[in-house]
Structure formats: C-alpha cells, structure tokens
Amino acid sequence: MNIHWAVPDEVPDPAMALDNVWVQYKLRNAHHYNLKRTISNALTRRKEEPEIIAALCGVTLVVPKGARVGLAGPNGAGKSTLLSVMAGVLKPTRGTATTYGRVLALLGGPNEGLDPEQTGRENAVALGVRLGESVSRMHERIDDIKDFSGLGKRFDHPVYTYSSGMQVRLRFTTITSVRADVLIVDEGIGAADAEFNARADERLAQFYADSGTLVLASHAPDVLEKLCTSVLHVENGEVRPA
C-alpha cells in the first residue's frame, strides 16, 4: 500500500493522517540566561528573540490501514519527531495529526518502562497495561511471557537483580505479547543475546505481522526492505518517497 500525499479527507479508511504538520522549537543560547544582559536589555528595551528550529516542516501525508511504512534518514533528520507526532505523544506546533484505532508506540530504549523495584512478573503486567492492554489480558499472557523470556524462578525476583540481558528479555517478551491497530517503532526492538535472538526472530516477525499498520524507523536498509512495502526519506524536517 502506498503513502498518499493528499489531504486526509481525500483518502478513505486511513490509519493515520498528517495535515500540514510543523514542529518547531525555540533554541535559547547561554546569553539568554545572563542576568546582567537581561537587565541591560530591559533598560534599553532591546529584545533578543530565540532562534527557531523546525524539526518538521509542513508534512502532509496519509497512511492507509494495513500499510507497512519505513522511515529512513540521517540522525537529527526528524524521524523520531515524526514518530512522536504520529503516536500522539507530541503535539504539532501547527497542523493536525490524527491516528485511527489503538496505537502502540515503542519509542524508548531497551530497558524503557521497567521498574527495578518490582519483580519481573509485576513489570510484565504493568508494562502491558501502560502499552494499552487490560490487567486481565496481561494475566492471561503471563505464563507465555515467563516461559519465552527464559527467566524461570528469576521471573519473581526484583528487576534490579537482573543482568541487562535479562531485562531486555523481559521487556522484549512483554512488548511482543501486545497487539495494536497501529504499531509505531523507533529503531526496532532489541533482544539480548545470540541464543535468545534466534528464538526471538520468529516471535518478532509475528508481532510485526499481527499489527494492523506498521511505521518503523531504522538506519538499516535491509530491515526496512524486509519489513516494509513503502519507505519514506526524512531529512531537514521534510518527508519524501525514498
């Protein structure tokens, strides 16, 4: 399915729609916080406006339901900002962004969302709920999470006693137990080690396949080619077909 470069009302059954989306930040330098200079500017009625940085520049596109979209581009190009807008966690400075259906946004690092004081079991339920699942559904999946993660008895130990690899196993397995209409992923979902990666590949592929619509940012062209049917290039806050 192709991306539509049109206003949202012109495309039936969209998964998400962005209409003239701008995201701008005010960049203040050190002199903006200098007390002496601030007082001097007040006395002379001089204004020093902050520099405006545009992270997204008038992006208009529609992603239809069922699309598998990749985002490519250099660091600082605006990919993460675009994903945050699509996920609804960042409000545009101008324009509108609408997502239809239940959204699962994976924008954090490999240990994002884990509470070190809670057990693996408690973290699995809590993380699933934060991602949009109900407590009862997470309890239904808890045995699968325990078995696939390979944590055994450690599943009921506090996460602060886990190695980094064990934490990644817990987070990976919990995340891939959740389903959503729209899946938004920044740089994939890391696994832990060679043995676990071998088992995780099939589970991850099924996780991506089960999502109604996928938007994935990655620096790896082979990943985008394998998982996506359309690729957008993001650079200097602008978006175009790759």
Side-chain angles (χ1 to χ4, degrees):
M1 295 185 182
N2 293 323
I3 302 302
H4 296 270
W5 304 91
V7 295
D9 292 342
E10 296 179 4
V11 180
D13 206 21
M16 63 181 69
L18 277 65
D19 188 6
N20 192 32
V21 167
W22 289 76
V23 174
Q24 296 173 314
Y25 300 102
K26 292 182 178 180
L27 180 62
R28 293 184 178 273
N29 297 312
H31 65 260
H32 287 109
Y33 301 96
N34 183 284
L35 179 59
K36 182 177 179 180
R37 186 158 178 166
T38 301
I39 294 173
S40 174
N41 288 342
L43 293 173
T44 59
R45 297 183 180 181
R46 177 187 175 189
K47 291 184 178 181
E48 289 188 286
E49 296 295 337
E51 182 181 358
I52 302 298
I53 302 297
L56 291 179
C57 304
V59 177
T60 295
L61 59 86
V62 181
V63 178
K65 288 183 179 177
R68 330 299 284 176
V69 181
L71 299 182
N75 288 329
K79 299 189 302 298
S80 295
T81 301
L82 179 59
L83 291 176
S84 295
V85 169
M86 288 178 166
V89 299
L90 178 63
K91 184 178 179 180
T93 308
R94 299 204 307 270
T96 59
T98 308
T99 303
Y100 303 88
R102 181 178 168 194
V103 179
L104 173 57
L106 306 178
L107 308 178
N111 301 323
E112 184 75 18
L114 298 181
D115 183 343
E117 299 297 328
Q118 290 186 326
T119 66
R121 183 184 301 273
E122 291 168 336
N123 266 288
V125 174
L127 178 56
V129 169
R130 285 197 297 274
L131 293 174
E133 285 288 14
S134 66
V135 173
S136 60
R137 291 292 296 272
M138 291 311 300
H139 280 301
E140 290 173 3
R141 297 169 182 169
I142 206 70
D143 288 340
D144 169 71
I145 295 171
K146 177 181 178 181
D147 292 342
F148 195 89
S149 65
L151 293 173
K153 294 181 179 179
R154 299 299 302 280
F155 193 59
D156 290 300
H157 291 181
V159 164
Y160 72 79
T161 67
Y162 288 12
S163 67
S164 59
M166 292 168 68
Q167 293 181 37
V168 173
R169 286 184 180 214
L170 174 62
R171 183 177 184 271
F172 173 92
T173 308
T174 301
I175 286 172
T176 52
S177 73
V178 178
R179 297 294 177 265
D181 298 319
V182 179
L183 176 61
I184 298 174
V185 185
D186 195 357
E187 284 303 328
I189 307 168
D193 50 52
E195 183 274 330
F196 187 74
N197 284 345
R199 295 192 296 116
D201 280 348
E202 183 177 348
R203 184 180 178 99
L204 183 59
Q206 190 62 50
F207 174 64
Y208 285 140
D210 288 344
S211 63
T213 303
L214 172 67
V215 180
L216 169 66
S218 177
H219 287 100
D222 57 326
V223 171
L224 296 179
E225 182 178 355
K226 177 181 178 181
L227 296 173
C228 304
T229 56
S230 300
V231 177
L232 302 178
H233 187 80
V234 185
E235 190 163 7
N236 296 323
E238 298 182 349
V239 181
R240 59 176 174 77

